[in-house]
Amino acid sequence: MSGGPARTAGTSWAEFGRQLRSLRRAAGLTQLQLGLRVGYHHSAVSKLEAGLREPPAGLVSRLDAVLETGGRLAAIVAAPHEVPRRPGRFPADPALFAPLPGADDPGGRETPDPAMWPARLPAEGLVCPLHGTAGCAVPGPGELPGLLGEPGPAGGPGPGWATGTGRGMGTGRGAGTEWGAVSEPGVGRVRATVAEAELLHGLTAVLACLIREAFRYGGRVAAVEGLLRALARWAGEVNSAGRLPYGQLRLGAQYAQVAGRLRMERGQTGVAMAWFGHGLRWADAVQDAPARATLLSDMCTLVRLDGDPSSMLGYAQGIGAVDGRRRWTATLSDLYQARGHALAGDAAQCRRHITLARRGFARLGPRDLLEAPWMAGAEGAMRVDSAIGGALRDLAVATGDRAAARRAVDATARSRAQVPPQMRGARLLLTLRLADSWACAGDPGAAVALASEVLPEAVRSRESMITAELRGLHSRLTGKWADLPEVREYRRRLLDAAK
């Protein structure tokens, strides 16, 4: 969900630069020679050695390989950043860590399915919270409960699996000291750093695994939120010890986004917005621009479900303001602005932002696709056509423009044709939207024929976006063509499906 490593403003990379200069000289290489071997200009090597720029994650691994350091440079990047303590001051505002929505729920603590466990990060759009897209390996599913201090999957989930009571989350003395203590010198300090990284890797893998399970277990909301609360408590303890909880906050923003999406799918918009808000604050605390952009996009979706175009446009413009250098965020901003203007009935602005979004999508570069892999290839085209089709359908509803509705049919049909078989929810949603687009275009027969295929599944669904699509389609069909035989048959099938 978010990109490469970043640290708070003012952080010095002087130690990394000193080590790089020492290792380069020991290898007998000039800055020019080293730059040629790792694929960077010698001026970039010079700036790194001077501590003037942040080293990209991919470059760090190449430098370690070329200089045969055994991972020393990566360890410097991975090491938690300590902030000098002043009396009564914390690295981050303590208000970031509480209060959190809801309460700990004893349900939903089943261990993730090992068959869906990722081998490396990124996975499911989730990057390593410490090393970004560097390709970090993750501990196996049987190792994570050991890091948490609880029984493994073979022995059943322990009481701390989803509530954070395992000793691995602590930062104080005693059983939990090795997982985050900042006062332990020497070898213990290295062990603490490695263990903390492993735990963050493992918790990222858990979240990827839960996403791969496609939320098929209702109790997974409890699992995600329980681990999220544990993560927030851990971040608070690290912060109280005088160290910025960088990895914990980055990962917390990712967990908060998934928790908010799960709540949104259930129609619990208030709790969803609360989680998105927490995720946004955590992302801002560590300057995680990609996480901020994707959280704002989910907030756009949430207020759209409430029929609030003004708030949607505000959040959509916020996506574009995240970072003007990132084309993918500009494209995302244009897609959501198009839909916001459609809700408001502004045809000219809707079409303008659709054009800008298509142009931006065609110009996405490797860095964009590294940070937003879901915008690459066929999946990206599917998502863009889906958003454009939704905007044009909304515009047709607001203005009665049947030409816009026919364009919505084309865009939505293209998107639906590219949906992979495993994305059943997306296919169901797009089928209902396509049917509604046909209704807006003045063809109730085509709308009923499409909708009839999925009515039982749509009625059973608890996802708020699918419910909203079905409600809109129903109002269009029964409001204009209630007396048509095919619409009466549609209503009969809808009643049967509801039983």
Side-chain angles (χ1 to χ4, degrees):
M1 288 188 185
S2 53
R7 295 195 177 191
T8 55
T11 298
S12 172
W13 291 97
E15 177 59 25
F16 181 92
R18 283 193 292 270
Q19 289 290 331
L20 175 59
R21 182 183 295 110
S22 174
L23 291 164
R24 174 181 61 78
R25 289 174 175 172
L29 297 174
T30 65
Q31 291 179 344
L32 176 61
Q33 289 169 331
L34 179 58
L36 289 171
R37 294 194 184 189
V38 297
Y40 274 71
H41 194 270
H42 66 86
S43 63
V45 177
S46 176
K47 289 178 180 178
L48 287 173
E49 292 187 353
L52 297 178
R53 65 167 291 183
E54 171 188 344
L59 175 57
V60 173
S61 60
R62 292 201 291 276
L63 288 169
D64 272 329
V66 169
L67 298 174
E68 299 180 351
T69 70
R72 282 174 62 182
L73 295 173
I76 294 171
V77 173
H81 172 54
E82 291 192 31
V83 176
R85 288 292 303 275
R86 281 189 264 172
R89 298 292 299 276
F90 295 92
D93 184 353
L96 284 173
F97 310 109
L100 299 178
D104 286 327
D105 186 336
R109 294 185 196 157
E110 302 89 348
T111 52
D113 184 351
M116 297 187 181
W117 195 263
R120 288 188 171 274
L121 302 174
E124 299 304 314
L126 303 172
V127 303
C128 170
L130 291 175
H131 315 118
T133 55
C136 298
V138 301
E143 299 174 54
L144 182 61
L147 289 170
L148 291 169
E150 298 297 331
W161 176 256
T163 59
T165 56
R167 66 177 178 268
M169 290 289 194
T171 60
R173 296 281 178 193
T177 300
E178 65 173 320
W179 307 119
V182 297
S183 59
E184 191 173 325
V187 175
R189 173 64 180 283
V190 174
R191 188 164 58 245
T193 298
V194 171
E196 179 170 326
E198 282 292 282
L199 184 51
L200 288 168
H201 290 159
L203 290 172
T204 308
V206 170
L207 187 57
C209 193
L210 292 173
I211 292 172
R212 285 180 175 176
E213 289 179 1
F215 311 129
R216 66 173 178 246
Y217 305 118
R220 287 324 199 190
V221 175
V224 171
E225 292 185 354
L227 284 167
L228 176 50
R229 289 191 185 88
L231 196 52
R233 286 193 288 269
W234 183 21
E237 292 170 6
V238 171
N239 193 64
S240 297
R243 177 160 59 83
L244 179 70
Y246 175 76
Q248 291 85 351
L249 289 176
R250 274 192 98 192
L251 182 55
Q254 295 178 336
Y255 264 88
Q257 186 164 21
V258 174
R261 286 176 177 175
L262 286 168
R263 291 292 187 174
M264 180 168 62
E265 287 182 358
R266 291 181 164 199
Q268 298 168 323
T269 57
V271 181
M273 186 60 84
W275 279 128
F276 291 150
H278 277 286
L280 200 60
R281 287 189 289 276
W282 293 336
D284 286 346
V286 291
Q287 298 184 350
D288 190 340
R292 178 175 177 79
T294 54
L295 281 157
L296 284 170
S297 71
D298 283 327
M299 294 166 82
C300 284
T301 300
L302 198 57
V303 295
R304 176 178 59 78
L305 291 172
D306 287 337
D308 184 352
S310 297
S311 294
M312 185 176 185
L313 285 169
Y315 291 136
Q317 290 161 6
I319 298 171
V322 166
D323 185 351
R325 298 168 298 177
R326 289 176 161 92
R327 288 178 180 170
W328 73 269
T329 57
T331 301
L332 203 61
S333 173
D334 284 319
L335 288 170
Y336 282 104
Q337 287 190 69
R339 195 133 191 206
H341 286 299
L343 284 176
D346 190 334
Q349 285 297 320
C350 174
R351 293 187 181 111
R352 173 176 172 266
H353 284 285
I354 286 175
T355 300
L356 290 172
R358 288 196 186 281
R359 188 179 302 160
F361 178 67
R363 295 176 178 175
L364 295 181
R367 179 192 175 189
D368 296 301
L369 301 180
L370 189 64
E371 289 187 341
W374 37 270
M375 292 191 77
E379 182 181 359
M382 176 198 74
R383 292 180 183 277
V384 169
D385 278 330
S386 171
I388 291 173
L392 290 169
R393 188 278 314 272
D394 292 345
L395 182 62
V397 171
T399 64
D401 184 351
R402 290 192 173 182
R406 288 191 291 272
R407 289 195 294 273
V409 167
D410 293 340
T412 305
R414 283 196 305 270
S415 180
R416 181 172 174 262
Q418 297 180 83
V419 175
Q422 65 270 23
M423 294 178 66
R424 293 182 56 84
R427 184 170 184 82
L428 173 59
L429 184 146
L430 289 171
T431 300
L432 293 171
R433 182 177 298 164
L434 182 57
D436 194 20
S437 298
W438 276 117
C440 292
D443 192 338
V448 169
L450 270 168
S452 297
E453 300 174 8
V454 297
L455 272 182
E457 187 180 0
V459 169
R460 289 194 304 270
S461 176
R462 294 184 177 182
E463 293 188 19
S464 58
M465 288 188 288
I466 290 174
T467 301
E469 291 287 348
L470 181 59
R471 188 186 304 120
L473 170 64
H474 184 75
S475 68
R476 248 79 73 191
L477 288 174
T478 58
K480 293 183 179 180
W481 299 291
D483 295 331
L484 290 180
E486 56 263 47
V487 175
R488 289 200 299 269
E489 176 65 14
Y490 155 81
R491 294 180 70 178
R492 185 190 66 77
R493 291 184 181 182
L494 185 65
L495 289 172
D496 288 345
K499 295 176 183 179

